[in-house]
């Protein structure tokens, strides 16, 4: 049996299905382990989920590029046509360009969130005692070493604030923008 371009395309679609299924099972397994309190470090849980999604997105991107190249080969050397060209353009836009933009935005948001949160001052025990509250994001008690103070004087765990910054860079309590003023 010879290798045809259609067989390559079907194989790529099946590989994408296997990658998505494996990623879903891995995420489900992590959620089950977390629900039964088998995961001791909750900070690494979010990092594991992010890495699973990132590896999945990279695999889907590579398969999308392969399908684009395969489709261009079919278009130019086997069977051309306007409909096939339109389908390739739609595939390139939806499966490659949009995914790259979305992935780049997620990576940018994670980096900027970490940059901002790491520049916030850490609270000492006296400040935590004076605040006399819990982290408003995770509802756990605040501890020295991982609690930061926002410019609006609210206290949060660094990881909790970082996670909320992926969506918006405002205070979770008062919705003021959290910006770090650069000193010259």
């Amino acid at each position: 049996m010879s290798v045809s371009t259609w067989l390559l395309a079907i194989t790529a679609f099946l590989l994408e299905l296997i990658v998505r299924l494996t990623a879903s099972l891995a995420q489900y397994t992590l959620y089950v382990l977390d629900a039964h309190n088998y995961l001791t470090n909750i900070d690494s849980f979010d990092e594991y989920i992010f890495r699973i999604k990132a590896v999945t997105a990279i695999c889907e991107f590579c398969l999308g590029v392969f399908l684009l190249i395969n489709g261009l080969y079919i278009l130019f050397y086997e069977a051309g046509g306007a409909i096939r060209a339109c389908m390739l353009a739609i595939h390139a836009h939806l499966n490659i360009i949009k995914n790259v933009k979305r992935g780049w935005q997620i990576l940018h948001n994670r980096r900027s969130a970490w940059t901002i949160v790491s520049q916030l001052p850490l609270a000492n025990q006296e400040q935590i005692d004076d605040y006399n509250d819990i982290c408003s994001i995770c509802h756990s008690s605040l501890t020295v070493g991982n609690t930061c103070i926002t410019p609006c004087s609210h206290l949060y765990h660094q990881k909790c604030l970082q996670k909320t910054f992926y969506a918006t860079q405002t205070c979770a309590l008062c919705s003021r923008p959290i910006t770090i003023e650069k000193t010259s």
Side-chain angles (χ1 to χ4, degrees), residues 167-184:
T168 178
Q169 294 183 352
T170 60
C171 178
L173 286 174
C174 65
S175 298
R176 290 184 189 154
I178 297 180
T179 57
I180 304 299
E181 297 177 15
K182 297 191 182 333
T183 57
S184 333

Side-chain angles (χ1 to χ4, degrees), residues 8 11 25 33 50 52 64-65 76 78 90 92 95 97 107-109 114 117 134 147 150 155 162 169 172 179:
L8 290 175
T11 304
L25 287 174
L33 292 174
F50 171 74
I52 290 171
V65 170
F76 292 128
E78 290 183 5
I90 291 169
N95 294 336
I97 297 169
L107 186 61
H108 175 72
N109 288 352
W114 179 246
V117 171
I134 58 174
T147 302
T150 62
L155 275 62
Q162 181 182 357
Q169 294 183 352
T179 57

Side-chain angles (χ1 to χ4, degrees), residues 82-139:
I83 293 175
R84 191 173 314 259
C86 289
M87 294 295 288
L88 283 174
I90 291 169
H91 165 73
H93 175 69
L94 294 178
N95 294 336
I96 298 173
I97 297 169
K98 285 184 90 172
N99 286 342
V100 167
K101 286 181 181 178
R102 187 178 70 233
W104 186 256
Q105 185 63 41
I106 290 170
L107 186 61
H108 175 72
N109 288 352
R110 287 181 70 87
R111 282 185 176 169
S112 65
W114 179 246
T115 301
I116 290 173
V117 171
S118 65
Q119 292 176 356
L120 292 174
L122 292 176
N124 58 31
Q125 188 62 47
E126 182 181 330
Q127 291 168 319
I128 292 172
D129 291 341
D130 289 344
Y131 192 70
N132 194 21
D133 204 358
I134 58 174
C135 176
S136 300
I137 298 169
C138 70
H139 304 291

Side-chain angles (χ1 to χ4, degrees), residues 26-27 30-31 44-54:
Q27 289 178 21
L30 283 176
Y31 282 117
S44 63
F45 172 77
D46 292 321
E47 196 62 32
Y48 290 144
I49 295 293
F50 171 74
R51 288 180 182 174
I52 290 171
K53 289 181 178 181

